[in-house]
Amino acid sequence: MASFFNFSSPPLEIEIKLAGEDDRRQVEVKGEKDKKELCPVYYDGESVVGQVNVRVKDGKKFQHDGIRIELIGSIELFYDRGNHYEFVSLAQELAAAGEMRQAQTFDFTFKNVEKQYESYSGINVKLRYYLRVTLNRITKERELWVHSYRMPPEANTSIKMEVGIEDCLHIEFEYNKAKYHLKDVIVGKIYFLLVRIKIKHMELSIIRRETTGAPPNQYNESETITKFEIMDGAPVRGETIPIRLFLGGFELTPTFRDVNKKFSTRYYLNLVLIDEENRRYFKQQEITIFRIP
């Protein structure tokens, strides 16, 4: 009995090969259904060069209306799934309409491509670059990952702040700088100037805050990248607690500010004190994270 539905596989296979990809740096990226895949890393201004291999299954004749490859940079907002905002859209025709009976290889070159934004996969937003080959209604995509280097900031002063509760608690904390590269070390100190509440312990966390969209349809999501205890037990007046936090072990991205007017990603150091009645006192300080070669 014939099926109402035809779930037969496509009559050909398409493969996208990138020139020199075995020698290029690869990053592990979370794909569909949290499946991990390795993507080659590209930089702004680099050409994207490669080949498209098309193989006809079973050697059958295949009639097509042309073969096309595109290089696309897009921003996908998860609450607005119907719309992809493309900021890069380049295309090349690889072959005119015709027929295929055997495997064929087509070269492509997208020369000196501007990639002004870094790739990003967040909670509510994804910025991606990919190649897409279209042949009749058959498509094949290949993900690229883009990193952007930024010059380290010239002015990078230390952070000094005071926090307290009148007549109960007065502390000063100091971090060695406000801007850090991805493999940097945060060095700091906490001074207790007045302690009249019973502090049980103190912890420091790094929080990533992602903002997508624009008011009134703006979404804010925060996630704790790491949290660790820097003190256990009650401090006394005059005590100093040192802080040393190595950033290289965490999955951080650079700070992104108003990318294409669609999203921002910011980082905060969050200092939390918890007293014996489990009351929490906290102070947040924004830090800037950047990528260097």
Side-chain angles (χ1 to χ4, degrees):
M1 183 177 173
S3 169
F4 283 105
F5 305 102
N6 182 7
F7 291 122
S8 61
S9 62
L12 45 79
E13 290 176 350
I14 301 171
E15 181 190 33
I16 304 171
K17 295 280 287 179
L18 292 160
E21 64 180 288
D22 293 338
D23 301 321
R24 189 174 283 277
R25 186 183 169 196
Q26 308 268 324
V27 295
E28 197 174 61
V29 176
K30 204 191 307 183
E32 293 294 316
K33 297 177 182 171
D34 288 345
K35 203 170 98 178
K36 296 280 178 79
E37 61 177 301
L38 284 173
C39 291
V41 175
Y42 284 81
Y43 300 94
D44 184 25
E46 259 194 298
S47 298
V48 179
V49 181
Q51 292 180 326
V52 174
N53 300 321
V54 182
R55 188 175 70 83
V56 182
K57 291 181 182 175
D58 305 324
K60 292 178 182 175
K61 182 173 74 171
F62 182 77
Q63 197 79 26
H64 65 83
D65 51 14
I67 305 172
R68 174 185 173 90
I69 186 167
E70 298 165 276
L71 173 56
I72 297 167
S74 74
I75 297 174
E76 302 169 12
L77 298 168
F78 298 161
Y79 62 83
D80 189 12
R81 284 187 178 275
N83 291 318
H84 292 176
Y85 302 92
E86 294 184 2
F87 54 88
V88 174
S89 183
L90 306 170
Q92 289 177 17
E93 299 297 329
L94 299 179
E99 67 176 43
M100 295 180 70
R101 290 179 179 270
Q102 58 191 30
Q104 284 186 255
T105 297
F106 306 93
D107 295 328
F108 66 87
T109 300
F110 292 102
K111 198 168 176 58
N112 303 336
V113 181
E114 183 186 6
K115 310 174 200 72
Q116 65 186 113
Y117 306 123
E118 177 156 329
S119 298
Y120 174 71
S121 182
I123 298 170
N124 278 329
V125 61
K126 187 170 187 177
L127 190 151
R128 60 189 289 245
Y129 295 82
Y130 59 100
L131 292 162
R132 180 169 64 203
V133 175
T134 307
L135 200 165
N136 292 7
R137 293 187 178 180
I138 304 163
T139 60
K140 174 76 173 179
E141 291 185 358
R142 177 82 195 265
E143 201 89 15
L144 312 176
W145 203 258
V146 170
H147 280 170
S148 297
Y149 290 138
R150 295 286 176 259
M151 290 302 292
E154 288 179 16
N156 197 353
T157 54
S158 61
I159 301 170
K160 290 185 180 179
M161 294 184 73
E162 293 187 22
V163 59
I165 306 159
E166 194 174 352
D167 296 331
C168 292
L169 178 71
H170 186 188
I171 61 174
E172 284 181 358
F173 58 89
E174 181 181 331
Y175 302 115
N176 58 334
K177 50 192 177 184
K179 298 165 185 174
Y180 299 87
H181 63 77
L182 290 168
K183 305 294 180 189
D184 220 334
V185 184
I186 296 174
V187 177
K189 292 176 185 170
I190 298 167
Y191 307 95
F192 289 87
L193 304 175
L194 176 67
V195 185
R196 285 187 181 154
I197 55 175
K198 291 185 177 177
I199 295 172
K200 192 163 62 175
H201 66 265
M202 181 163 59
E203 60 193 33
L204 183 68
S205 56
I206 299 177
I207 292 171
R208 175 162 56 212
R209 185 169 298 148
E210 180 186 283
T211 304
T212 50
N217 297 316
Q218 192 170 65
Y219 296 83
N220 290 294
E221 292 281 355
S222 294
E223 58 180 319
T224 301
I225 304 299
T226 184
K227 177 166 65 176
F228 72 105
E229 198 172 85
I230 53 177
M231 187 196 72
D232 184 17
V236 295
R237 182 179 174 181
E239 195 166 349
T240 301
I241 306 290
I243 294 169
R244 186 172 290 269
L245 176 59
F246 293 84
L247 298 178
F250 308 116
E251 289 189 14
L252 301 176
T253 69
T255 296
F256 300 127
R257 298 187 196 279
D258 205 20
V259 175
N260 203 234
K261 296 191 169 65
K262 297 289 185 293
F263 73 95
S264 298
T265 303
R266 290 181 161 87
Y267 287 91
Y268 297 85
L269 287 174
N270 192 39
L271 182 68
V272 181
L273 288 80
I274 296 132
D275 71 12
E276 289 190 339
E277 295 175 23
N278 284 326
R279 288 179 298 211
R280 299 167 72 86
Y281 311 91
F282 67 92
K283 189 72 177 178
Q284 271 188 9
Q285 173 63 42
E286 185 175 2
I287 57 172
T288 300
I289 295 180
F290 58 94
R291 186 185 300 282
I292 57 172

